[in-house]
Amino acid sequence: MKGKNARAFPHFLTKNLMNNVNFASDILRHFDLDHVSTPYGNGHINNTYLVGTSPRFILQRINTDIFKDPDGVMENILAVTSFLRAKIVAAGGDPLRETLTVIPTNDNHPYYRTPDGDCYRVYMFIEDAVSLDSASSPEVFAESARAFGKFQRMLADFPAEKLHETIPHFHDTPDRLRIFRETLAKDPVGRAAGVQDEIRFVLYRAGEMSTVTDAIADGSVPLRVTHNDTKLNNVMLDAKTGKGICVIDLDTVMPGSMLYDYGDSLRFGASTAAEDERNLDKVRFDLDYFRAYTEAYLEALGDSVTPRELELLPFSAKLMTLECGMRFLTDHIDGDHYFRIHRPNHNLDRCRTQFKLVADMESKMDQMQQIVSECARR
Ligand code: ADP
Ligand code: GN1
Ligand code: MG
């Protein structure tokens, strides 16, 4: 660790930690896959590995087919995490547990690009914490709402103009519909004929897909700095207390609507079954989970929520689920290039759970609206 290999450690790392980081950096200096221990987690996008023993690190190959500007992604992540770190420290919190910590390469770059062009980054592993693929109770789910709500609130005064748009039009549902239609017209692997019911499901709902983008355009829904990928497994909960401690997977932090974050959380976390469940009888939208999330999220956001945002909360849960189902269907028709799959028709299975949830939400929309009004009055 000397000469040109000396690395600039983040100043907030304690000396003790730095010693440990020095140890691990011998591995990370080479940064080749021989040193990778275990594939880790259930993300659909990046390749994630657990590295080291004490301390442990997360090594990720950034999916550059999807994130075409890794410099922009890492600039966003560094900007957001250092902004959060200052607030966490000021509040007496532990920044190593409450936000992601990027470990730079030996030459102080936020990621390493191999001669083949693969891009790897390293984070401190957040210890004594879990990320869940399903919540065992509404209260557990509410903890994720508190964490995402706090994240949103802490970023309320982040200078949004600093952010790169890492995936343009990410939650622009009408644009997603356009891509769906284009893919369908090409039908590159001949799968359209086998998914006619799902195609009809999308097209029948085309008219309502611009509701949130229209509200952003007319100013009734403000642009905020949002996470945009608020799946339950993108938040770490304390392993002992169950409290939400850290929002992770910051690749898509961009200007957006809080309706995206709120809706996407419910899409995933208020389902009674896994996102890829094949038995659709098991898939329902759980109103107790909906209520618990809504109550905790609104409490965390305080009075910053506008009337139009409040009005659109139930609809946004449906819209984000419809959009995600349409994205899974598009990828299925396209030949599975975007979301990682583990079995044939995996994206189609995922699409079907989403559409089952959409239909269930449609039948429960009045109750959802009632629940939102009750939570908003509290
Ligand atoms: P993807 O974009 O593919 O979803 P994520 O960044 O969400 O990748 O990482 C995948 C999983 O790895 C997460 O759901 C979580 O379980 C785990 N993970 C990621 N970063 C950390 C971290 N810093 N500490 C502990 N676990 C992590
Ligand atoms: C992806 O990265 P991950 O697995 O947390 C996707 C989300 C989808 C989600 C569906 C960058 O999230 O938009 O809602 O899968 N992320 C990206 O499970 O496309
Ligand atoms: Mg993730």
Side-chain angles (χ1 to χ4, degrees):
M1 238 345 98
K2 53 186 172 349
K4 71 179 174 59
N5 282 332
R7 47 192 284 166
F9 287 102
H11 67 275
F12 53 88
L13 290 178
T14 63
K15 195 153 192 308
N16 191 25
L17 249 170
M18 276 176 64
N19 290 337
N20 287 327
V21 173
N22 276 341
F23 146 76
S25 69
D26 283 335
I27 297 171
L28 304 174
R29 180 154 28 135
H30 302 288
F31 234 69
D32 65 35
L33 291 179
D34 291 337
H35 298 292
V36 166
S37 42
T38 337
Y40 194 78
N42 292 325
H44 293 342
I45 304 295
N46 298 304
N47 291 77
T48 303
Y49 306 90
L50 180 58
V51 176
T53 46
S54 180
R56 299 192 287 178
F57 299 88
I58 285 287
L59 171 67
Q60 267 183 344
R61 184 164 72 83
I62 303 170
N63 186 330
T64 46
D65 291 338
I66 291 174
F67 296 103
K68 297 190 189 305
D69 173 19
D71 290 289
V73 167
M74 294 313 293
E75 269 175 39
N76 280 7
I77 292 177
L78 286 173
V80 165
T81 53
S82 45
F83 186 86
L84 292 176
R85 183 168 303 112
K87 292 200 172 186
I88 292 164
V89 169
D94 176 355
L96 291 175
R97 254 167 87 66
E98 294 173 36
T99 189
L100 283 175
T101 303
V102 175
I103 300 293
T105 61
N106 294 325
D107 54 1
N108 203 22
H109 199 69
Y111 68 92
Y112 177 72
R113 190 187 286 268
T114 68
D116 293 343
D118 288 335
C119 296
Y120 288 89
R121 67 181 165 206
V122 173
Y123 293 121
M124 296 291 296
F125 186 84
I126 297 167
E127 296 287 353
D128 303 317
V130 289
S131 86
L132 303 174
D133 288 308
S134 67
S136 54
S137 70
E139 191 36 48
V140 171
F141 190 38
E143 278 306 327
S144 74
R146 289 188 189 100
F148 282 124
K150 185 176 171 195
F151 179 85
Q152 164 87 89
R153 236 194 134 107
M154 286 205 291
L155 290 176
D157 56 344
F158 181 90
E161 68 282 359
K162 276 196 177 168
L163 290 173
H164 302 267
E165 200 177 5
T166 55
I167 301 182
H169 301 284
F170 192 59
H171 281 305
D172 180 341
T173 319
D175 198 58
R176 295 283 184 188
L177 176 63
R178 177 187 66 76
I179 294 167
F180 167 75
R181 288 188 201 272
E182 277 178 17
T183 310
L184 187 58
K186 287 193 199 118
D187 192 15
V189 287
R191 290 182 178 170
V195 291
Q196 287 301 305
D197 286 350
E198 289 76 14
I199 292 168
R200 265 192 297 276
F201 191 95
V202 169
L203 297 179
Y204 185 74
R205 289 160 182 79
E208 57 193 0
M209 289 193 193
S210 64
T211 308
V212 173
T213 45
D214 287 350
I216 292 173
D218 73 22
S220 56
V221 164
L223 275 185
R224 303 166 185 263
V225 174
T226 48
H227 182 279
N228 296 305
D229 189 0
T230 48
K231 273 205 302 210
L232 182 61
N233 62 17
N234 286 333
V235 63
M236 306 299 301
L237 306 178
D238 187 283
K240 287 194 200 77
T241 64
K243 299 279 175 219
I245 48 175
C246 180
V247 170
I248 60 169
D249 201 348
L250 304 179
D251 298 326
T252 51
V253 174
M254 287 180 281
S257 163
M258 62 83 91
L259 296 166
Y260 301 153
D261 282 4
Y262 169 85
D264 195 47
S265 280
L266 289 158
R267 168 193 83 72
F268 187 84
S271 172
T272 53
E275 192 184 60
D276 59 356
E277 173 60 55
R278 273 184 280 211
N279 179 355
L280 293 181
D281 290 342
K282 292 187 181 168
V283 182
R284 281 173 293 104
F285 188 70
D286 189 312
L287 291 181
D288 291 333
Y289 280 62
F290 177 75
R291 180 188 290 276
Y293 195 94
T294 304
E295 204 171 279
Y297 195 64
L298 287 180
E299 199 180 308
L301 287 196
D303 54 12
S304 60
V305 183
T306 69
R308 183 67 174 144
E309 283 176 327
L310 210 51
E311 191 185 350
L312 285 176
L313 288 177
F315 175 79
S316 73
K318 170 182 145 173
L319 183 69
M320 288 296 97
T321 312
L322 179 60
E323 180 191 276
C324 193
M326 178 167 71
R327 290 174 62 197
F328 287 140
L329 182 58
T330 304
D331 202 29
H332 174 74
I333 295 171
D334 197 38
D336 304 309
H337 296 300
Y338 188 97
F339 298 101
R340 185 179 307 118
I341 57 164
H342 304 287
R343 61 181 191 237
N345 290 335
H346 206 165
N347 275 317
L348 179 57
D349 293 339
R350 290 168 175 154
C351 154
R352 287 178 172 152
T353 62
Q354 302 307 290
F355 290 173
K356 174 76 193 290
L357 288 169
V358 168
D360 200 28
M361 285 187 233
E362 285 171 346
S363 75
K364 292 173 175 165
M365 205 40 81
D366 290 348
Q367 294 167 78
M368 288 161 69
Q369 257 142 14
Q370 178 63 29
I371 290 170
V372 168
S373 348
E374 286 165 19
C375 294
R377 273 201 297 272
R378 285 168 65 97

